[in-house]
Amino acid sequence: GGASLITSFLREELYDRFYWFHAPQIIGTEGRDAIQEMNITKIVDQKRLQFVSSMALDKDRLDIYKKPQ
């Protein structure tokens, strides 16, 4: 599914921009994962993103990030 594809792109750094749409709602564990397990066990191994912009879309929000240089 979509989460598997997104996770693969993030792991392999095969992206230029990352568009994150989110809403002010809490679903809990019953919701669908946007990103699957990244196998990151140390904070130094985290994937960093560089913030580009953010905009409101009615009640929702779009945050845009890019791969750090």
Side-chain angles (χ1 to χ4, degrees):
S4 177
L5 181 63
I6 291 168
T7 303
S8 296
F9 276 87
L10 288 171
R11 268 194 205 127
E12 301 301 322
E13 297 186 6
L14 297 173
Y15 64 94
D16 294 314
R17 300 230 174 201
F18 183 83
Y19 292 78
W20 180 23
F21 293 89
H22 51 106
Q25 300 166 333
I26 297 172
I27 298 173
T29 58
E30 295 80 14
R32 294 184 176 250
D33 291 335
I35 300 171
Q36 294 180 336
E37 179 64 45
M38 295 284 293
N39 298 320
I40 296 172
T41 58
K42 298 178 185 171
I43 197 76
V44 298
D45 296 331
Q46 67 186 318
K47 298 291 183 184
R48 308 250 341 140
L49 301 171
Q50 184 177 343
F51 178 76
V52 173
S53 66
S54 182
M55 66 181 73
L57 303 170
D58 193 24
K59 295 178 183 176
D60 300 337
R61 182 142 218 92
L62 167 61
D63 293 333
I64 302 172
Y65 299 87
K66 68 180 183 177
K67 184 169 33 175
Q69 301 299 329

